[in-house]
Amino acid sequence: RRWSPTNTTIGRVRYGYRNQSEQRFTGYDQSEWLVELRHAWRPGNGATYISASLLGDFHDAEDDRYSFDGFGVRLIGRTPLGDRLTGRGIFSLLRRDYEDPFSDALPLAREDTDIQATLGVEYLLDRGIALFAEGGYRDNDSNISTRDYSGFIGQLGVRYVPD
């Protein structure tokens, strides 16, 4: 139950551990912390949902060139487009500063600014089961040329959310 029918503020902390294959990535095993402060608004206490988040993303890898501190913002909007169809949009901006130089050949401390914008739809097939499609653009602006990229991103899938 929400305290307010139109406004909700949530804080969350998520921890994860990534254990990569040592045959392919050495030094990439890492602890990952995500800290988020989110405010959500439901105009008129309706089904439309708008949220804004402040993010902290902290990765501590075995090799410090993969460790970073990241800070950013995320905006999400979701609204019904029909009885079973929902539309959504997401915009995020995350700034990451890495701890150690990228490599011996390129001894620069890596800095990335990652911007993503997507639009998508979700169609409810049955209770808890939906098809979704999403497309958008991602730009990772990095001072390391091999980590600097931009272009189309997209996904199709089936989502199951148990009651």
Side-chain angles (χ1 to χ4, degrees), residues 61-119:
E62 288 177 344
D63 184 341
D64 281 341
R65 69 185 173 133
Y66 300 118
S67 298
F68 65 82
D69 292 341
F71 297 94
V73 296
R74 179 182 298 137
L75 304 172
I76 299 174
R78 186 174 60 231
T79 193
L81 300 174
D83 287 343
R84 296 175 161 242
L85 189 65
T86 301
R88 76 175 191 171
I90 301 172
F91 172 82
S92 65
L93 181 146
L94 184 66
R95 171 68 182 186
R96 292 184 298 264
D97 292 316
Y98 288 78
E99 287 185 20
D100 271 0
F102 180 70
S103 68
D104 291 336
L106 193 56
L108 296 173
R110 181 175 164 191
E111 298 173 349
D112 294 358
T113 300
D114 189 14
I115 298 173
Q116 295 185 54
T118 60
L119 293 174

Side-chain angles (χ1 to χ4, degrees), residues 27-41:
Y28 201 71
D29 294 356
Q30 60 191 271
S31 296
E32 303 172 347
W33 289 91
L34 176 68
V35 179
E36 177 182 19
L37 179 62
R38 178 189 325 154
H39 184 79
W41 176 50

Side-chain angles (χ1 to χ4, degrees), residues 93-159:
L93 181 146
L94 184 66
R95 171 68 182 186
R96 292 184 298 264
D97 292 316
Y98 288 78
E99 287 185 20
D100 271 0
F102 180 70
S103 68
D104 291 336
L106 193 56
L108 296 173
R110 181 175 164 191
E111 298 173 349
D112 294 358
T113 300
D114 189 14
I115 298 173
Q116 295 185 54
T118 60
L119 293 174
V121 292
E122 183 172 283
Y123 182 75
L124 184 62
L125 292 173
D126 197 4
R127 194 170 151 180
I129 301 173
L131 296 175
F132 68 91
E134 188 173 276
Y137 184 79
R138 181 174 187 180
D139 179 55
N140 191 72
D141 183 29
S142 180
N143 64 332
I144 306 297
S145 63
T146 58
R147 300 297 186 254
D148 188 79
Y149 57 88
S150 61
F152 174 79
I153 55 174
Q155 59 181 343
L156 300 170
V158 177
R159 187 179 334 272

